[in-house]
Amino acid sequence: MTSLVSLQHARKSFGDVEVLKDISLTVEQGEVLAIIGPSGGGKSTLLRCCTLLETLDGGALSFGDCVVTTDQNGHAVYGGKDVLRQARTHFGLVFQNFNLFPHYTVMRNLTDAPVTVQKVPKEQAEAKALQLLAKMGLEGKESMVPCELSGGQQQRVAIARALMLDPAVLFFDEPTSALDPELTKGVLKVIRSLAEEHMTMVIVTHEMKFARDVADHVIFMDGGVIVEQGPAADVIDNPKHERTRAFLLSEE
């Protein structure tokens, strides 16, 4: 079975600082992978490398049959523009700070990429956008601009925008870290419902209870390496590694 995401022996440095040290992971269709760990442990860099916002120094990355990089003598060799363009159709990305276009309406935030990049007819894109907004509990918000919405509503718009392009996998970079606890609940509820629909997701998160309840698999990262990984309940309720135990105690 071809994994939806395969990353093998990934390495990444910024100057003399090695941020990712031989990281390997796979994500199967319908699986939810949560990545936990202290700040500065490499989680966001890992996500940025997977979503082509940063380039790997070494390692192999593929999305299904789309081979993005191969490892040649310890160096990551990327495919050409067509390969990268194809790779980007496989995933959606939700940032912690929403990254919505501030001067666009909610509707235009959702339909801009499908209409301009994928050449989807405008009426078709708008019909799909209305369906997704309803699913996110945002009926009637389509003509508002982001500053008229709460942070939680903006994040749900960002999730809807990512879903507009029918990605095979959704990446989330700490989707609730900019939100207060009350607003966090609404966003986590949406992600939970996507998990119930077997949406494939990779989520960098500090929400341990959520990771335990929703993820199939958890990776604990620290110092640029995977310290521990396994089924979510095993890693979070019964960690084997002392470093994982210490981190989880600090998060309680």
Side-chain angles (χ1 to χ4, degrees):
M1 189 163 112
T2 306
S3 302
L4 280 190
V5 185
S6 173
L7 182 68
Q8 302 301 320
H9 306 296
R11 291 185 301 100
K12 175 69 178 175
S13 296
F14 294 107
D16 295 333
V17 181
E18 201 177 5
V19 184
L20 299 179
K21 307 170 186 176
D22 195 20
I23 298 281
S24 295
L25 62 87
T26 56
V27 186
E28 305 298 341
Q29 185 155 5
E31 184 179 19
V32 179
L33 169 65
I35 303 173
I36 64 170
S39 297
K43 306 184 302 297
S44 288
T45 300
L46 173 63
L47 215 66
R48 289 177 67 82
C49 288
C50 286
T51 55
L52 311 184
L53 294 172
E54 299 281 0
T55 52
L56 290 165
D57 297 331
L61 170 65
S62 57
F63 291 97
D65 298 328
C66 177
V67 178
V68 182
T69 71
T70 53
D71 192 274
Q72 295 179 20
N73 300 321
H75 296 285
V77 177
Y78 278 77
K81 281 183 183 171
D82 288 348
V83 170
L84 298 181
R85 193 177 300 119
Q86 189 199 346
R88 288 189 177 94
T89 68
H90 285 259
F91 62 81
L93 176 58
V94 179
F95 300 89
Q96 62 188 72
N97 295 320
F98 328 133
N99 280 33
L100 298 172
F101 295 111
H103 305 303
Y104 285 6
T105 62
V106 167
M107 177 60 80
R108 191 166 171 202
N109 264 287
L110 264 63
T111 58
D112 191 56
V115 171
T116 56
V117 179
Q118 294 185 325
K119 308 302 180 199
V120 174
K122 190 178 176 192
E123 299 73 30
Q124 189 181 322
E126 288 183 347
K128 183 173 181 178
L130 289 173
Q131 279 181 329
L132 282 170
L133 289 171
K135 186 175 178 175
M136 300 290 147
L138 295 168
E139 299 96 330
K141 307 288 187 195
E142 58 273 8
S143 58
M144 291 184 168
V145 290
C147 67
E148 297 177 294
L149 303 173
S150 73
Q153 289 170 331
Q154 288 185 58
Q155 191 59 295
R156 283 180 277 151
V157 170
I159 295 169
R161 179 179 63 178
L163 289 168
M164 282 292 291
L165 299 173
D166 293 319
V169 57
L170 264 187
F171 289 92
F172 292 86
D173 188 6
E174 307 222 6
T176 59
S177 67
L179 306 176
D180 66 36
E182 198 55 41
L183 297 177
T184 291
K185 280 182 200 163
V187 172
L188 294 182
K189 185 180 171 189
V190 165
I191 299 173
R192 197 180 292 260
S193 72
L194 292 173
E196 286 165 4
E197 293 168 17
H198 305 292
M199 178 79 208
T200 310
M201 294 183 280
V202 178
I203 307 170
V204 171
T205 183
H206 278 293
E207 301 284 341
M208 295 305 132
K209 184 178 185 306
F210 172 74
R212 184 197 179 287
D213 292 349
V214 175
D216 301 295
H217 198 82
V218 166
I219 284 175
F220 171 65
M221 277 185 76
D222 187 24
V225 299
I226 294 175
V227 176
E228 187 166 343
Q229 61 181 311
D234 289 0
V235 173
I236 291 176
D237 291 345
N238 193 21
K240 294 179 175 58
H241 201 283
E242 183 54 46
R243 182 68 192 90
T244 318
R245 279 199 288 273
F247 170 74
L248 290 166
L249 279 171
S250 74
E251 290 293 304
E252 283 179 1

